[in-house]
Amino acid sequence: EAGVTQSPTHLIKTRGQQATLRCSPISGHTSVYWYQQALGLGLQFLLWYDEGEERNRGNFPPRFSGRQFPNYSSELNVNALELEDSALYLCASSPGHGLLFFGSGTQLSVL
Amino acid sequence: DQQVKQNSPSLSVQEGRISILNCDYTNSMFDYFLWYKKYPAEGPTFLISISSIKDKNEDGRFTVFLNKSAKHLSLHIVPSQPGDSAVYFCAASEAGTYKYIFGTGTRLKVLA
């Protein structure tokens, strides 16, 4: 069974640009979570999607947005990139309450 | 406001000994707790969980203890093995929110 897949693995952008990160959940999982792990920090909750709807969002500015498609895959968009957005972005899927299955992440570098 | 705290950024333990990783939380509404392990360049993988109705859960070499009155949980690894060297995150969620709050992680190094 394929795990959670994220693309791209690495992404290099310059300040002010937009970044789009993609995530495919495990087959059968309807929930997708996005987390940011900045250097030296823990996993900061960004967004939670379930059945195509945004269910919850963390303390991040509106330039962090996303969506979930009918096939449950998800996109995270970061607009007007700032240097401090450089981080590992992790996607996780869940079959329901209790477990998160993480992908390997997208390393975003903002220059 | 860090609702889940792991105050020890790193821990070194000799192979064969016990590793104890600690986690404190502030939100009394948290009812489900998980531990994840993360190797470099990989996503975190689920290790063990505990519901607030229990005070202990065991899975092989891994045991999680929950002290609700102290708002504290700990992960015990016995015996520790070099392959256990990784970053360990604790996470908590509040009933009905499906929002998981993670700690900052503890880097465990098991010395051979």
Side-chain angles (χ1 to χ4, degrees):
Chain A
E1 178 184 281
V4 176
T5 56
Q6 291 187 244
S7 63
T9 307
H10 294 87
L11 188 58
I12 299 175
K13 294 284 186 179
T14 55
R15 228 168 41 172
Q17 284 188 314
Q18 180 199 39
T20 298
L21 290 66
R22 296 180 177 85
C23 173
S24 291
I26 291 172
S27 176
H29 290 189
T30 62
S31 280
V32 169
Y33 294 77
W34 287 96
Y35 283 85
Q36 181 198 64
Q37 186 184 15
L39 197 63
L41 297 179
L43 280 66
Q44 303 294 315
F45 171 73
L46 262 166
L47 290 157
W48 168 41
Y49 291 95
D50 183 56
E51 297 284 358
E53 302 280 334
E54 182 181 302
R55 302 293 184 184
N56 211 330
R57 119 175 238 120
N59 294 327
F60 281 84
R63 56 191 188 81
F64 286 83
S65 65
R67 53 181 172 166
Q68 187 178 32
F69 299 98
N71 66 354
Y72 303 117
S73 67
S74 177
E75 232 175 48
L76 174 68
N77 294 294
V78 188
N79 293 320
L81 283 165
E82 300 178 2
L83 296 178
E84 53 264 34
D85 296 334
S86 295
L88 179 67
Y89 289 84
L90 290 161
C91 170
S93 72
S94 176
H97 182 63
L99 282 184
L100 298 180
F101 295 83
F102 283 88
S104 299
T106 293
Q107 185 67 52
L108 173 64
S109 298
V110 182
L111 307 177
Chain B
D1 177 30
Q2 192 72 24
Q3 294 187 68
V4 178
K5 299 176 186 178
Q6 293 177 258
N7 293 318
S8 299
S10 64
L11 175 69
S12 290
V13 170
Q14 209 64 37
E15 182 180 6
R17 298 290 192 109
I18 183 171
S19 295
I20 300 176
L21 296 93
N22 294 305
C23 180
D24 296 293
Y25 61 96
T26 57
N27 188 343
S28 57
M29 299 301 290
F30 286 149
D31 71 333
Y32 196 72
F33 305 88
L34 308 94
W35 283 93
Y36 282 81
K37 178 167 73 172
K38 185 179 186 298
Y39 293 117
E42 294 182 13
T45 54
F46 170 75
L47 202 53
I48 193 168
S49 65
I50 188 166
S51 162
S52 60
I53 62 172
K54 292 185 166 185
D55 54 18
K56 177 183 173 181
N57 189 26
E58 200 169 347
D59 184 2
R61 297 185 297 114
F62 302 91
T63 303
V64 57
F65 294 92
L66 175 63
N67 183 333
K68 288 185 287 292
S69 60
K71 295 191 183 68
H72 176 84
L73 64 155
S74 60
L75 174 68
H76 292 209
I77 306 173
V78 184
S80 301
Q81 299 172 353
D84 296 329
S85 297
V87 177
Y88 289 78
F89 292 96
C90 67
S93 74
E94 186 179 330
T97 67
Y98 298 94
K99 177 179 166 181
Y100 299 86
I101 307 297
F102 281 77
T104 51
T106 295
R107 184 177 300 278
L108 173 66
K109 189 170 184 180
V110 180
L111 307 167

